[in-house]
Amino acid sequence: MGAAAAADDTGSLAGRDYLAALCVVLVWGTNFVAMKLGLRELTPFQLGAGRYLFAFLPLALFVRPPRLPVRWVLLYGLFQGVGQFGLLFLALRAGMSAALAPVMLQMQVFFTALLGFLLLGERVGRPLQAAMAIAALGLACFCADFFGRGSEVTVIGLVLTVASGAMWGASNIVVRRIRDIAPDFDVLSFMVWSSLVAVPPFILLSLAFDPPGTRWDWRALSMTGWASLAYLGWFATILGYAMWTGLLKRHPANRVAPFSLAVPPVGIAAGMLALGDRITPWQWAGIVLIVLSLALVVFGPRWRMRLRSPGAPL
């Protein structure tokens, strides 16, 4: 009991945590391709409603609502569902590229650390500070490439993607607050029922802003469109976010959030293979810096301990 508590206090991750983080990275890295394919046939608000309807059904028939105050389920559904992905889908439609989106979305790391410090009093250690600085350089490389290409990515797409990252950071903080009041809450139940929260707002937004000519006709949706919705709903949302939320449930937000820095390299590779995206020298430089920052986050505390105690195991 004491050892487990100490591990949690220091933010140490076990082998299963690293495996979960790897699965999340692979699923989230490839889900940007599914988003792009889905947006060929659906509007951003329709894609959002469809994604979370798939995430809610059919699991809701077998999973009971979480034993949590309703406000936390509502807040998470609004921040993570309508906020993060509503803005991201709009960004992808407004001119954000599939290759750059997973990189700019990593602004959530900074928003999570800032909100964790301001609202939860979480400490930002030196390894994390150094990793964030290196990641910022990586993001700067992608921004340099963005300004160099100019016409391929719009300013509004960039702004919406950064705002999406802010909503992701806010949802991370909601999970941390839930962990404080209910450490043993059921992650799967939480993910399934918080998905329902996002469906009505997306439907209302579609009815309010989508042109009448784009109103839903599910019979016209291709197999690719259905596969995109299923992948986004069942894998990227339920599987990915259940694992992600489980990590946040067990560890401080500023210790978990940087793992998402590995999503951009996977996303870029998926874009190259599936969509024919081209990788520029600036983008390769950004990838290297981001992966380096992730390595520092994962191994930094261990390396620091090794320097302080030369006999300590790596």
Side-chain angles (χ1 to χ4, degrees):
M1 179 72 174
D8 187 70
D9 289 341
T10 60
S12 298
L13 276 70
R16 63 166 183 161
D17 297 317
Y18 289 116
L19 180 59
L22 175 61
C23 291
V24 170
V25 165
L26 293 176
V27 170
W28 284 353
T30 55
N31 91 138
F32 289 92
V33 172
M35 293 178 197
K36 275 291 190 180
L37 294 175
L39 287 170
R40 292 177 179 177
E41 303 182 45
L42 297 167
T43 69
F45 298 136
Q46 292 168 359
L47 185 62
R51 171 183 182 140
Y52 286 100
L53 189 59
F54 266 74
F56 181 66
L57 295 174
L59 287 177
L61 301 176
F62 310 99
V63 178
R64 294 183 177 182
R67 296 181 178 179
L68 291 171
V70 175
R71 67 178 181 276
W72 294 116
V73 180
L74 291 174
L75 281 174
Y76 186 83
L78 292 174
F79 281 135
Q80 189 267 346
V82 183
Q84 179 185 342
F85 284 100
L87 292 170
L88 180 58
F89 293 160
L90 286 171
L92 291 170
R93 176 60 67 88
M96 173 55 63
S97 71
L100 190 56
V103 179
M104 298 310 301
L105 195 60
Q106 300 319 308
M107 291 296 293
Q108 67 89 10
V109 173
F110 305 106
F111 287 114
T112 300
L114 177 61
L115 291 173
F117 173 74
L118 294 175
L119 301 178
L120 306 180
E122 293 184 352
R123 186 176 63 88
V124 180
R126 290 184 180 179
L128 179 57
Q129 292 175 19
M132 291 173 68
I134 295 173
L137 292 176
L139 294 176
C141 288
F142 281 92
C143 288
D145 181 70
F146 159 70
F147 288 113
R149 291 179 296 161
S151 61
E152 294 189 17
V153 177
T154 64
V155 174
I156 185 62
L158 180 68
V159 172
L160 287 171
T161 306
V162 174
S164 174
M167 292 295 101
W168 187 357
S171 71
N172 288 339
I173 299 304
V174 170
V175 173
R176 300 299 297 154
R177 293 292 295 166
I178 294 173
R179 193 196 72 164
D180 291 340
I181 63 173
D184 297 322
F185 75 96
D186 188 329
V187 174
L188 179 60
S189 173
F190 175 70
M191 290 307 308
V192 169
W193 286 90
S194 64
S195 295
L196 177 62
V197 174
V199 175
F202 273 127
I203 292 176
L204 292 176
L205 287 168
S206 178
L207 293 175
F209 297 106
D210 287 343
T214 64
R215 295 289 163 79
W216 302 7
D217 184 1
W218 296 108
R219 295 170 298 178
L221 199 62
S222 70
M223 288 301 297
T224 300
W226 285 112
S228 297
L229 288 174
Y231 188 81
L232 293 173
W234 293 335
F235 289 91
T237 302
I238 295 301
L239 179 63
Y241 275 92
M243 289 183 173
W244 181 257
T245 303
L247 289 171
L248 288 170
K249 177 181 172 183
R250 296 187 294 273
H251 304 282
N254 59 12
R255 185 73 179 89
V256 173
F259 277 102
S260 63
L261 291 172
V263 172
V266 177
I268 291 172
M272 291 176 64
L273 295 174
L275 302 176
D277 289 347
R278 183 176 61 89
I279 306 301
T280 67
W282 277 115
Q283 290 175 340
W284 284 122
I287 292 172
V288 171
L289 288 169
I290 286 174
V291 172
L292 178 61
S293 71
L294 176 63
L296 185 58
V297 169
V298 174
F299 300 110
R302 227 178 269 183
W303 292 339
R304 191 178 180 189
M305 184 180 299
R306 176 69 174 179
L307 290 174
R308 289 182 173 179
S309 304
L314 288 175

